Amino acid sequence: MNNIMSNHENGIPEDNKPWPELKLPELLLNSGTVRSLHAAIESEWDLLRRSACQTAAGRALWKQAINDPLAELFAGETHLKSIYEKIKKDLLNNAREISGVILAIRTLWFDSKLEAALSSFDGGGAQVVLLGAGMDARSYRLSCLKQSSVFEVDFPEVLDAKATILEAAANSKDKNHHPILTAKSLSRVAADLTEDNWLEKLQISGFEPKKSAVWILEGILYYLSHSHAMKVLKIIAENCNLTDTVLLADFMNKQATTLSSSTFHFYCDWPDQLLPSLGFFDVKLSQIGDPDAHFGLLQDPLNLFNKLRNLPRSIQTHPDDGTPCGRLYLLQASGSPNQTSS
């Protein structure tokens, strides 16, 4: 097995240890309610909505690095088996990057930056808003949220499905999957980010514009059109004029969106220049594999992400093989009414 799997201290199996076998939580996934719900998801939801379950599956299968016991329930059997087969194939072929590693690192980056942001606010207790929350379970797994009011914004059908799964888990005999809220409070806000009333709905649900807030946009911006993505970013930037604000978001460059031209729309090659132009300050950009976006999961120096990091960001195609230089940028930005442009 290659070096990517050798760092046991970071939750990755040692070379002589196989990838954990996929063991489905049969008691819950086979319950009539959860099974019929996931069947409906597969047949009725579009790609954007189903991506919530796919993200959960990635977190569930990278359990060596991410402790998210609810993820496999949110993912459903179809997505779990699909990604698991890809992981098995990658291991068999000694791939330099194992399927789902980018999602695992992205999750851990958002976790670590969220915790740091919350601890930076005086007295703690900042609000946390997850836009396009999907099947995110941070409110049930992160202790740093114990003083925070959390708001999950997503389509009503996604939030309804999530609530149904959580209720089934709470009533199950399977205590390993009982949901225990770690956040101070959790409000689910049924709203469409492409419509103009999502901020109003957020405020009706209890969000206080003048109270410090951390905004999480994980895996959502590139699904939006350019105009909708920019409008969302501008609304958050305007919040900087009212209170201390932290934005955590990931951006694709143009080459990355070509991987699925029918799915991904918004891109930004230089988000570290875009965000200051909107009113954010102290903008920090990371790429997968950087010291703060590594987590011991990318040991092979020749893996794709390390090769990309060694190339200037302006290069569009890889000089070795002519493949597109698709990049995922992780951005941390902040703002405050007391800051002025430098």
Side-chain angles (χ1 to χ4, degrees), residues 15 24 64 97 104 112 162 169 194 250 280 282 300 309 331:
D15 288 345
L24 297 173
Q64 310 94 324
E97 308 90 31
S112 64
K162 191 173 185 177
T194 66
D250 60 328
F280 291 101
D282 194 21
D300 193 324
R309 287 170 56 240
L331 272 293

Side-chain angles (χ1 to χ4, degrees), residues 60-112:
L61 292 168
W62 279 84
K63 63 180 63 178
Q64 310 94 324
I66 302 167
N67 179 28
D68 190 349
L70 293 172
E72 52 195 2
L73 302 181
F74 289 146
E77 190 172 341
T78 300
H79 290 283
L80 286 168
K81 287 184 174 179
S82 173
I83 296 182
Y84 184 72
E85 290 304 316
K86 292 176 183 177
I87 288 172
K88 274 178 47 177
K89 184 178 178 181
D90 288 343
L91 294 174
L92 199 63
N93 295 332
N94 284 331
R96 295 188 185 278
E97 308 90 31
I98 307 301
S99 287
V101 68
I102 191 169
L103 192 147
I105 290 174
R106 190 184 77 181
T107 297
L108 293 169
W109 184 88
F110 275 91
D111 285 356
S112 64

